Amino acid sequence: PPPPRLLDHGGRARCGVTLTRNTEDMHTVYDELLAAVKAGGARISHKVRRGAVPPLDIAGMVACEAIEDGEELVRVPHRLFLSLRRCRSMEKELSAAVERMSGAMHGREADAFHAACLARQLRASEGRRRGPEESGEVRAAN
């Protein structure tokens, strides 16, 4: 069956948004993420794992052993953070394009730029993770 679509009160599709279910195994994705950040110099304690706890049951990192006061659980090098400042240094052209749209975004230019930068970085990482054929990436022939 086709994926569900967001509909307005009249039953018409809104904004052309299509929702799809993520079919990837989240434990595998988590393991791949940990391997990638560790390869980039991060340190992750064996005392944390992927999990969810009540009352919110939102997936994230949870403690699986007792933690001592002041014990380091995660250390990630600054260069791996995708902060607004880092995005601006990586995506100068995109940043300038969003700034030129000033006023159209009602003061939300920084948020719009940050979201666009993160989307680009995620898209690029997906291509590296799966390869261009599986990710839908198309490259020009020489």
Side-chain angles (χ1 to χ4, degrees):
R5 295 179 60 82
L6 292 176
L7 305 176
D8 65 15
H9 294 292
R12 296 176 301 269
R14 286 187 346 200
C15 305
V17 174
T18 302
L19 299 176
T20 58
R21 181 168 183 242
N22 186 350
T23 58
E24 294 196 64
D25 173 45
M26 290 293 97
H27 291 288
T28 300
V29 172
Y30 175 79
D31 291 342
E32 290 173 357
L33 174 63
L34 279 177
V37 296
K38 284 179 179 180
R43 291 190 303 228
I44 314 290
S45 169
H46 69 279
K47 293 185 177 185
V48 294
R49 63 173 171 76
R50 181 182 188 275
V53 294
L56 298 178
D57 292 317
I58 297 172
M61 293 180 90
V62 298
C64 56
E65 290 183 28
I67 298 168
E68 300 295 323
D69 188 28
E71 183 176 356
E72 182 178 274
L73 299 177
V74 178
R75 179 180 292 231
V76 179
H78 188 263
R79 63 183 169 68
L80 295 181
F81 281 76
L82 292 174
S83 65
L84 180 59
R85 180 177 168 198
R86 176 112 168 101
C87 278
R88 283 190 171 132
S89 72
M90 293 183 331
E91 296 277 0
K92 290 179 171 76
E93 192 174 314
L94 178 61
S95 179
V98 171
E99 287 300 318
R100 286 192 299 272
M101 297 176 67
S102 176
M105 295 187 200
H106 311 287
R108 303 294 306 262
E109 293 83 5
D111 293 337
F113 165 71
H114 201 198
C117 175
L118 294 175
R120 275 190 168 184
Q121 295 301 311
L122 288 169
R123 176 69 177 170
S125 72
E126 185 70 7
R128 287 189 301 271
R129 183 162 122 16
R130 294 177 181 230
E133 296 77 23
E134 286 185 61
S135 68
E137 182 180 323
V138 178
R139 296 183 182 200
N142 291 338

